[in-house]
């Protein structure tokens, strides 16, 4: 659970900390201490806090903090330097701990899904794009460390399944109700 221990900005407890709670006993242990400017922390599927997003106290710049594993130090790996500058922020940490997924604009200015190498924070190969349209989000697999599909806004909101089993299921359902909009809403 990420939370603030104070509403006063002049104390370190204003900034988010992350604690792991044992629901049976109510006891907690600190997983990630507060860092000045950081209100958002993100964990991977194993509960390891891997990323934080913070801003300077004047709000003019932002920074991305990252760590590779629970025993690695948190370090700043990217920062904005002005209002038009953008950071590369992972959307999903993959099973391979050195890889993540990002949604960034392609050469035509529309968002696409790419691999991100977490060892050097370089954008890798493009995994998905819909020419002329932006991506609305990623549909993670049940484990939370892989991707099943991508939400897109073409003529209507829909999910384009990357996973072959989900794509086949979508095709079977659409064949049964010809002409109707089919949406897999739950697994």
């Amino acid at each position: 659970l990420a939370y603030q221990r104070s509403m006063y900005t002049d104390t370190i407890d204003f900034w988010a900390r992350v604690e792991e709670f044992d629901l049976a006993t109510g006891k907690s242990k600190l997983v990630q201490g507060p860092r000045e400017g950081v209100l958002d922390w993100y964990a991977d599927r194993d509960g390891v806090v891997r990323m934080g997003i913070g801003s300077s106290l004047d709000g003019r710049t932002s920074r991305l903090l990252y760590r590779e594993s629970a025993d690695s130090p948190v370090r700043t790996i990217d920062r904005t330097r002005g209002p038009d500058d953008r950071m590369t922020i992972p959307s999903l940490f993959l099973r391979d701990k050195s890889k993540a997924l990002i949604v960034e604009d392609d050469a035509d200015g529309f968002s696409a899904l790419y691999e991100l190498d977490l060892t050097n924070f370089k954008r890798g190969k493009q995994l998905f794009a819909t020419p002329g349209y932006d991506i609305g989000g990623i549909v993670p697999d049940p484990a939370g460390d892989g991707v099943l599909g991508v939400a897109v806004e073409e003529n209507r909101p829909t999910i384009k399944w990357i996973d072959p089993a989900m794509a086949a299921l979508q095709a079977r359902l659409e064949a049964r109700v010809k002409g109707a909009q089919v949406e897999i809403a739950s697994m």
Side-chain angles (χ1 to χ4, degrees), residues 46-64:
D46 297 322
V48 175
V49 175
R50 301 272 305 273
M51 182 174 68
I53 299 174
S55 62
S56 60
L57 296 180
D58 64 8
R60 293 183 183 188
T61 62
S62 296
R63 68 186 188 281
L64 177 68

Side-chain angles (χ1 to χ4, degrees), residues 6 9 14 30 37 41 44 52 56-57 67 69 80 90 95-96 125 134 139 143-144 148 156 164-166 170 182:
S6 175
T9 58
F14 175 79
L30 183 66
W41 291 105
D44 63 17
S56 60
L57 296 180
R67 70 172 167 193
S69 63
T80 61
R95 281 177 204 94
D96 176 351
K125 69 179 178 180
D134 284 321
V139 180
L148 294 178
R156 62 180 172 84
M166 291 302 295
Q170 181 78 32
V182 175

Side-chain angles (χ1 to χ4, degrees), residues 90-128:
S91 297
L92 181 72
F93 295 107
L94 298 174
R95 281 177 204 94
D96 176 351
K97 298 286 188 191
S98 68
K99 301 277 186 212
L101 298 178
I102 57 170
V103 176
E104 286 191 341
D105 287 352
D106 61 15
D108 296 324
F110 294 98
S111 61
L113 183 64
Y114 295 91
E115 280 187 344
L116 177 68
D117 185 334
L118 293 172
T119 60
N120 58 18
F121 276 84
K122 299 289 184 207
R123 184 169 85 177
K125 69 179 178 180
Q126 186 182 82
L127 301 175
F128 181 86

Side-chain angles (χ1 to χ4, degrees), residues 147-167:
V147 64
L148 294 178
V150 179
V152 295
E153 301 280 337
E154 292 176 345
N155 297 332
R156 62 180 172 84
T158 189
I159 295 174
K160 300 287 186 172
W161 298 106
I162 295 172
D163 179 75
M166 291 302 295

